[in-house]
Amino acid sequence: MGGLIGVLSSASAVAAILSFRAGATLSPALQNLNQRIKAWWLMVLLISGAFICGKAGVIVLFAFVSFAALREYVTLTYSRRSDHRVLLGMFGIVIPVQYLLVWSEWYGLFSVFIPVYCFLVMPALTALRGDTERFLDRVAEQQWGIMLAVYCISHVPALMTLPIPGFEGRGLLLIAFLIITVQGSDVLQYIFGKLMGRHVISASVSPSKTWEGLVGGMASATLLGGMLHWLTPFSALEAAAIAALSCLMGFFGGLVASAIKRDRGVKDWGNMIEGHGGMLDRADSLIFAAPVFFHLVRYLWT
């Protein structure tokens, strides 16, 4: 956390100097940079506070992240009056139960509660209402919502429950490693894309994502992961390899999220975080990276 605060302090100083030199009129890029730095300060402080509170604080924080992300997702989907009970259950039952299972470390049920039981029960409850108007669209969107916003995100605090020999009680460091490398990859891809980006990966999905940004950001984040191996039970080479895979999955998560936004005709999921958009705009990379990271560590190190 001290390292992150040091990086943010340096970024704030650089932004302040650039703003001073720019005078009264700031360019859109500089305004966005200042907004992003302020938002990162808030996010780092919130995560730091949750880490200080331990397991309970981290679970509560990510339960809130799931709630906010699901809310943003639902506002962009099609629903009918007959879906209201299922939607209420998604917020009032699915989120609390999933995170209660994480708290109790009941892996067997935690891993299948949403992809098996909710997957089967939710469409059945919708069918009982007798409303077949765009039934498949509505059910698919609901199930995608809880998978992305609840199931995948809940794997982040679940890292604290992994019984890794010789690493007991240090699960918070795995969360720190995952967040630093994946979110760091996002920032580095953005920087390399701005500096050297020439070849767009998919112009119709995300015009700002370039091959130069992807390669530069992932290479840097992989190196960062190897340097942070002391936070983990991995060797430097293992940490670099896991960081590379997690960052690649994070890129795919961001690409899928961008495709959904283009389908819905919006630029951001919301406006909760100044300079970043909504909660899903900031968590989209973790959505794909967290389950892969969790199960890889669970099967290879426990």
Side-chain angles (χ1 to χ4, degrees):
M1 289 303 165
L4 287 175
I5 291 174
V7 170
L8 283 175
S9 298
S10 300
S12 297
V14 171
I17 294 172
L18 293 175
S19 299
F20 177 77
R21 293 178 61 183
T25 304
L26 301 182
S27 66
L30 191 54
Q31 291 178 9
N32 183 257
L33 175 64
N34 286 324
Q35 291 174 344
R36 284 174 175 264
I37 291 173
K38 291 177 182 178
W40 270 110
W41 270 112
L42 177 60
M43 288 186 285
V44 168
L45 291 175
L46 284 174
I47 294 174
S48 300
F51 276 24
I52 291 172
C53 294
K55 181 179 178 181
V58 173
I59 289 177
V60 169
L61 173 63
F62 281 95
F64 169 75
V65 171
S66 286
F67 183 92
L70 185 60
R71 177 181 174 275
E72 292 171 353
Y73 177 92
V74 167
T75 59
L76 297 183
T77 60
Y78 174 79
S79 63
R80 293 171 61 82
R81 185 179 182 85
S82 56
D83 296 321
H84 289 180
R85 291 183 181 178
V86 172
L87 293 174
L88 182 62
M90 290 163 61
F91 288 95
I93 298 176
V94 176
I95 292 177
V97 170
Q98 180 71 3
Y99 281 92
L100 181 62
L101 294 173
V102 173
W103 169 267
S104 63
E105 302 185 15
W106 191 351
Y107 171 77
L109 190 54
F110 152 77
S111 62
V112 300
F113 172 64
I114 289 177
V116 176
Y117 295 106
C118 293
F119 178 84
L120 299 175
V121 171
M122 286 170 55
L125 293 177
T126 303
L128 285 172
R129 301 287 292 174
D131 185 356
T132 59
E133 181 72 23
R134 294 181 60 179
F135 177 82
L136 184 58
D137 292 343
R138 289 153 47 206
V139 167
E141 288 174 347
Q142 291 166 5
Q143 293 180 339
W144 256 87
I146 59 170
M147 281 296 295
L148 294 176
V150 185
Y151 183 73
C152 290
I153 291 178
S154 68
H155 282 77
V156 179
L159 288 168
M160 294 184 296
T161 69
L162 290 176
I164 302 174
F167 201 72
E168 292 83 358
R170 302 178 67 191
L172 284 173
L173 297 181
L174 285 178
I175 296 177
F177 177 84
L178 175 65
I179 292 177
I180 291 171
T181 53
V182 173
Q183 295 294 320
S185 176
D186 284 353
V187 174
L188 291 165
Q189 286 177 39
Y190 175 81
I191 293 173
F192 276 100
K194 287 292 185 182
L195 294 176
M196 300 183 296
R198 296 291 183 274
H199 302 87
V200 178
I201 296 174
S202 179
S204 60
V205 175
S206 182
S208 63
K209 295 184 185 297
T210 64
W211 286 109
E212 292 83 359
L214 174 62
V215 173
M218 279 200 56
S220 302
T222 299
L223 178 62
L224 176 63
M227 294 171 61
L228 293 176
H229 73 94
W230 52 272
L231 285 174
T232 72
F234 322 136
S235 67
L237 185 60
E238 291 168 342
I242 292 176
L245 178 59
S246 299
C247 293
L248 180 62
M249 295 307 300
F251 166 77
F252 287 141
L255 198 65
V256 169
S258 294
I260 296 174
K261 288 186 288 185
R262 297 297 175 269
D263 177 66
R264 288 296 182 262
V266 298
K267 180 179 181 295
D268 297 316
W269 288 100
N271 55 9
M272 175 178 286
I273 307 173
E274 184 181 12
H276 290 267
M279 184 65 74
L280 272 173
D281 291 292
R282 190 65 275 139
D284 54 8
S285 55
L286 281 176
I287 287 173
F288 272 41
V292 173
F293 182 85
F294 175 89
H295 290 287
L296 186 65
V297 174
R298 182 177 183 273
Y299 287 121
L300 295 181
W301 275 271
T302 63

